[in-house]
């Protein structure tokens, strides 16, 4: 996947700064154009005396949009970022508004922050993410809470959460092209979730699963090693979170997940395992669209 146009939704809150910081790093390293958008609610269309209130509401929205984008412009200036385009869009839902912009503007990835309430360094999914992660026509990149203060200035490695199947098999070459464009190595990991104590026959089945997972990883990596460095790992734990904790994560790591095979083609659709990975991750996570 070649990244030439990055879109981020910005609000004057910490999560907006997290998303903007991550989007800025991605655009800078990929040599991409950056667009910063604020999504506003629609103006009333009530006839009669309410028209005066409508005029005041329009003026208020214009002022808020200008102030919001001016703050984004200042943050980009502080970080020595590239020139960006600033966009005001109208929609009842911020996620749906970003979906509309992504469709209209030939965007390659949409970047958003974590919903309020989650722990620092983790990703929480709110209404904006929910709307994007079930209908975006382009990949969605999620910034952990606090990324604006704690995140490194550039990416160091891309890690694909891999499980043999059409979705992940299509995701690997896309991730490889992205890694090559960012000039970073690629890693493929498969999670083997081990529920704990089991009977002997179950232990033997689990061992067989581990061997098969390792073989699948080697096969998936083999076709990409001509163009870049690719490592493989099988991560095992009693939960997804514990499995992810079984490896070392670089400060500039980016995790990539494929969309669920049950979702529509050319759309992002978050599956159950990907949801668990997103919630357990301590690094940014990109959800790819489902490819045919």
């Amino acid at each position: 996947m070649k990244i030439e146009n990055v879109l981020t939704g910005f609000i004057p809150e910490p999560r907006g700064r997290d998303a903007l910081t991550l989007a800025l790093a991605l655009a800078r390293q990929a040599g991409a154009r950056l667009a910063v958008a604020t999504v506003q609610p629609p103006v009333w269309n009530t006839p009669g005396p309410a028209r005066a209130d409508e005029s005041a509401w329009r003026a208020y929205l214009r002022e808020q949009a200008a102030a919001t984008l001016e703050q984004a412009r200042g943050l980009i200036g502080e970080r020595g970022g590239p020139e960006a385009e600033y966009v005001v869009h109208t929609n009842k839902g911020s996620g749906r508004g970003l979906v509309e912009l992504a469709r209209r503007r030939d965007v390659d990835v949409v970047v958003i922050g974590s919903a309020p309430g989650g722990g620092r360094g983790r990703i929480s999914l709110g209404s904006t993410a929910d709307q994007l992660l079930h209908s975006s026509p382009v990949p969605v990149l999620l910034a952990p809470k606090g990324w604006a203060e704690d995140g490194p200035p550039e990416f160091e490695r891309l890690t694909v959460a891999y499980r043999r199947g059409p979705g992940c098999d299509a995701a690997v070459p896309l991730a490889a092209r992205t890694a090559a464009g960012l000039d970073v190595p690629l890693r493929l990991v498969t999670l083997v979730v081990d529920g704990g104590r089991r009977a002997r026959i179950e232990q033997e089945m689990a061992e067989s699963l581990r061997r098969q997972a390792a073989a699948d990883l080697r096969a998936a990596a083999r076709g990409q090693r001509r163009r870049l460095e690719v490592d493989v790992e099988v991560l095992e734990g009693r939960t997804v979170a514990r499995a992810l904790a079984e490896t070392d994560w670089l400060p500039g790591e980016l995790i990539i997940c494929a969309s669920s095979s049950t979702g529509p083609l050319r759309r992002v659709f978050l599956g159950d395992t990907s949801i668990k990975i997103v919630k357990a991750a301590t690094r940014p996570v990109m959800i790819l669209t489902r490819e045919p």
Side-chain angles (χ1 to χ4, degrees), residues 1-159:
M1 180 179 72
K2 191 171 183 179
I3 298 176
E4 297 179 330
N5 293 285
V6 177
L7 171 67
T8 184
F10 182 77
I11 56 175
E13 298 179 10
R15 52 182 165 154
R17 293 190 287 275
D18 291 338
L20 182 60
T21 301
L22 183 60
L24 182 58
L26 179 62
R28 183 188 288 120
Q29 194 162 344
R33 293 179 290 274
L34 175 63
V36 182
T38 179
V39 179
Q40 295 187 320
V43 177
W44 305 314
N45 291 310
T46 306
R51 300 287 296 185
D53 290 336
E54 178 185 329
S55 178
W57 181 240
R58 285 182 184 275
Y60 172 77
L61 290 178
R62 284 195 299 269
E63 292 174 3
Q64 289 295 106
T68 294
L69 294 180
E70 184 59 33
Q71 184 177 135
R73 189 178 286 107
L75 289 169
I76 289 177
E78 290 174 6
R79 288 164 170 76
E83 288 292 324
E85 183 179 1
Y86 299 90
V87 183
V88 179
H89 188 68
T90 300
N91 196 290
K92 291 181 179 179
S94 55
R96 288 189 292 271
L98 291 172
V99 167
E100 290 178 349
L101 283 172
R103 288 174 176 155
R104 294 177 185 178
R105 301 178 63 85
D106 194 27
V107 168
D108 297 305
V109 60
V110 177
V111 186
I112 62 171
S114 177
R120 191 173 184 85
R122 296 301 182 99
I123 297 171
S124 295
L125 302 178
S127 59
T128 299
D130 185 66
Q131 291 163 17
L132 277 163
L133 293 174
H134 289 88
S135 60
S136 176
V138 299
V140 177
L141 177 56
L142 303 160
K145 185 176 182 180
W147 195 255
E149 290 77 29
D150 302 336
E154 61 183 21
F155 297 102
E156 299 174 90
R157 182 171 62 189
L158 268 59
T159 290

Side-chain angles (χ1 to χ4, degrees), residues 145-209:
K145 185 176 182 180
W147 195 255
E149 290 77 29
D150 302 336
E154 61 183 21
F155 297 102
E156 299 174 90
R157 182 171 62 189
L158 268 59
T159 290
V160 178
Y162 178 81
R163 182 177 63 181
R164 189 178 65 178
C168 285
D169 288 339
V172 169
L174 290 176
R177 287 195 289 272
T178 303
L182 297 175
D183 194 25
V184 297
L186 179 69
R187 178 172 64 161
L188 310 181
V189 301
T190 289
L191 307 184
V192 177
V193 177
D194 178 357
R197 297 179 62 184
R198 56 169 75 89
R200 181 180 179 84
I201 184 64
E202 293 174 319
Q203 293 175 355
E204 293 172 354
M205 292 174 61
E207 180 58 33
S208 176
L209 179 61

Side-chain angles (χ1 to χ4, degrees), residues 126-292:
S127 59
T128 299
D130 185 66
Q131 291 163 17
L132 277 163
L133 293 174
H134 289 88
S135 60
S136 176
V138 299
V140 177
L141 177 56
L142 303 160
K145 185 176 182 180
W147 195 255
E149 290 77 29
D150 302 336
E154 61 183 21
F155 297 102
E156 299 174 90
R157 182 171 62 189
L158 268 59
T159 290
V160 178
Y162 178 81
R163 182 177 63 181
R164 189 178 65 178
C168 285
D169 288 339
V172 169
L174 290 176
R177 287 195 289 272
T178 303
L182 297 175
D183 194 25
V184 297
L186 179 69
R187 178 172 64 161
L188 310 181
V189 301
T190 289
L191 307 184
V192 177
V193 177
D194 178 357
R197 297 179 62 184
R198 56 169 75 89
R200 181 180 179 84
I201 184 64
E202 293 174 319
Q203 293 175 355
E204 293 172 354
M205 292 174 61
E207 180 58 33
S208 176
L209 179 61
R210 285 191 288 272
R211 289 195 299 268
Q212 185 61 56
D216 292 343
L217 280 173
R218 290 192 296 270
R222 195 173 298 125
Q224 308 305 322
R225 284 183 169 138
R226 291 190 296 266
R227 68 175 83 182
L228 76 167
E229 177 187 345
V230 183
D231 293 324
V232 298
E233 286 187 53
V234 177
L235 307 181
E236 186 173 357
R238 298 185 65 176
T239 64
V240 166
R242 291 189 179 184
L244 289 175
E246 287 300 307
T247 189
D248 293 326
W249 297 94
L250 299 177
E253 196 100 35
L254 171 61
I255 302 171
I256 294 182
C257 293
S259 280
S260 170
S261 60
T262 61
L265 290 176
R266 303 295 186 186
R267 294 289 185 273
V268 168
F269 194 85
L270 202 61
D272 291 341
T273 300
S274 292
I275 288 175
K276 293 176 182 178
I277 291 173
V278 167
K279 291 182 176 180
T282 58
R283 300 293 186 272
V285 180
M286 181 186 291
I287 311 297
L288 302 182
T289 57
R290 183 189 169 202
E291 300 301 311

